Amino acid sequence: MTQTTDFETITIDHLRQVGSVKWSAYPDALGAFVAEMDFGTAPQVTQALHEAVDTGLFGYLPAALEQELATAWTDWARTVYDWDVPPERVRPMPDVIAALQATIEHFSAPGSPVILPTPAYMPFLTVPPAAGREVIQVPMARQGGRYVYDLDALDAAFAAGGNLLILCNPHNPVGRVLERAEMEQIAEVVERHGGRVFSDEIHAPLVLGDHRHVPYASISEAAAGHTVTATSASKAWNLPGMKCAQLVLSNDADAAQWARVGSTHEHGAANLGVVANIAAYTAGRDWLRTVLDYLDGSSRLLADLLAEHLPEVGYTPPEGTYLAWLDCRQLGLGDRPAEFFRSHAGVALTDGTLCGRAGAGFVRLNFGTPRPILTQIVQQLAAAVRAQ
């Protein structure tokens, strides 16, 4: 187990006073659902925000700040992912969902279904229908205890008329960090059908242990040619309310298309969010290393706690993210175990059915919390099961 940090001193009372959705939506429950960490953010980010507020940076987003954001992210991508992207190909967005909406509208075949490997991040099931698109759910396969993309099923989904594949890496909710060889196989399927990929890499800085994030668009010229990538500092540095993400355009055609249509979509990126993202990428690495070390230890602690208190629950420690995908099917709680745990354990989790049909009987648990709170969460889940 890793050495404790001052994260251990953060209390439930303090978190409720801060008032984030995770701790205010259910005042009578422990928050373990929405993807927010409980560790605040890097001091360098806080300092940069104070300076921007003191300066009065409240007007429309200046071009110089857009450029600084692009440079900060491209420097990060070059040093951390070994991916060299021209700064002019990195555009500010309010969030990854806005990037998906724009990608569906401008970079997929009109009216075509969206292909979604499941279980999936919940809005990926609702955003395409809101845009008039069908979602083809493609359940992920299990191989050696790990979730993998089902290549035959992906091929069939493209053959059925799907055009845009939503690829999530690191994957929310199952925590997979895709390897280059896996993505090369996925790219072959996409190319065979003339498809497109929206690559959600918002959790890219949150890889655990010896795993390494490889951007999908970086694996080959073909992948770069059919991919639009979206990312942000929002998950790794706990900034989701700051409204800033990055859209990465990895080919000339998409860059030219975006130059014609992109300004309206970019308009929601907030100045302070841009400032926060710049500070995170340029000065927040030491803080992030501390967080990753803590999360890695907490992931293993969760395995130990479940083995002790709820051995019936299936759990494979994630390779990335701070999200645990728990198989509760042996508990006899039906397809929606989160409802039971909310009512009987006083713990708010994400129900797996919200992640697609493949999530029935599962829950998503956020372990990005102090370990004493994580321990209390598991103990309350177990007590509720035993009291049935």
Side-chain angles (χ1 to χ4, degrees):
M1 190 60 60
T2 56
Q3 185 176 2
T4 59
T5 71
D6 58 0
F7 298 151
E8 303 277 279
T9 65
I10 298 170
T11 65
I12 293 172
D13 286 344
H14 168 75
L15 294 169
R16 294 205 194 279
Q17 289 170 5
V18 171
S20 70
V21 167
K22 186 180 177 190
W23 289 98
S24 63
Y26 303 101
D28 58 343
L30 300 179
F33 65 113
V34 70
E36 300 174 348
M37 289 193 292
D38 294 335
F39 310 135
T41 191
Q44 295 84 355
V45 172
T46 302
Q47 179 182 351
L49 288 170
H50 278 294
E51 291 173 358
V53 169
D54 291 342
T55 300
L57 189 62
F58 305 139
Y60 292 112
L61 182 63
L65 201 59
E66 288 184 10
Q67 178 63 37
E68 190 176 352
L69 173 65
T71 300
W73 185 85
T74 54
D75 287 348
W76 170 271
R78 184 182 307 109
T79 56
V80 179
Y81 311 137
D82 196 26
W83 188 23
D84 198 356
V85 179
E88 60 269 20
R89 294 288 182 83
V90 181
R91 305 304 307 162
M93 295 291 289
D95 51 46
V96 166
I97 293 302
L100 173 60
Q101 292 167 327
T103 300
I104 291 172
E105 181 178 354
H106 300 296
F107 298 112
S108 70
S112 61
V114 172
I115 301 169
L116 181 63
T118 57
Y121 174 51
M122 300 78 72
F124 291 162
L125 288 120
T126 58
V127 169
R133 303 298 184 89
E134 175 192 355
V135 174
I136 300 176
Q137 296 188 36
V138 179
M140 298 176 78
R142 296 279 285 179
Q143 187 177 89
R146 307 166 89 196
Y147 279 93
V148 297
Y149 280 42
D150 186 328
L151 298 176
D152 290 338
L154 283 183
D155 187 84
F158 277 109
N163 176 250
L164 178 68
L165 167 66
I166 298 179
L167 183 144
C168 188
N169 181 38
H171 193 282
N172 174 4
V174 304
R176 273 302 319 281
V177 174
L178 296 177
E179 297 168 0
R180 179 180 293 272
E182 292 178 276
M183 292 187 285
E184 289 171 346
Q185 292 177 318
I186 294 168
E188 289 177 6
V189 175
V190 177
E191 281 291 292
R192 185 157 60 243
H193 293 277
R196 298 302 309 263
V197 169
F198 173 78
S199 188
D200 168 20
E201 303 186 11
I202 195 170
H203 287 96
L206 291 166
V207 290
L208 305 177
D210 295 329
H211 298 282
R212 179 175 180 269
H213 176 72
V214 178
Y216 174 82
S218 74
I219 63 171
S220 67
E221 186 175 346
H226 64 229
T227 302
V228 174
T229 302
T231 190
S232 174
S234 63
K235 293 304 179 186
W237 284 273
N238 209 38
L239 304 168
M242 298 304 296
K243 305 310 291 180
C244 177
Q246 296 82 55
L247 184 78
V248 183
L249 304 160
S250 47
N251 62 78
D252 293 340
D254 287 353
Q257 171 76 342
W258 192 255
R260 293 189 292 270
V261 304
S263 59
T264 301
H265 299 285
E266 295 178 8
H267 195 63
N271 288 12
L272 295 182
V274 172
V275 167
N277 272 243
I278 291 168
Y281 290 132
T282 60
R285 297 190 190 190
D286 288 344
W287 181 87
L288 180 61
R289 289 189 191 99
T290 300
V291 170
L292 291 175
D293 185 54
Y294 192 80
L295 290 174
D296 193 39
S298 295
S299 172
R300 288 180 279 115
L301 171 63
L302 178 57
D304 293 340
L305 289 169
L306 290 170
E308 178 182 356
H309 298 286
L310 280 172
E312 305 93 335
V313 171
Y315 168 59
T316 300
E319 300 164 356
T321 80
Y322 47 80
L323 304 169
W325 186 240
L326 305 183
D327 184 352
C328 301
R329 290 175 294 180
Q330 298 302 312
L331 297 177
L333 302 178
D335 287 347
R336 297 179 177 271
E339 295 179 355
F340 170 84
F341 288 127
R342 171 71 185 86
S343 299
H344 295 82
V347 177
L349 304 165
T350 298
D351 202 282
T353 57
L354 299 177
C355 302
R357 291 185 295 271
F362 288 76
V363 296
R364 191 189 75 172
L365 184 154
N366 178 345
F367 61 84
T369 195
R371 290 178 191 157
I373 298 176
L374 178 60
T375 300
Q376 183 177 345
I377 286 170
V378 176
Q379 289 173 341
Q380 290 185 201
L381 296 178
V385 170
R386 302 301 169 229
Q388 287 188 95

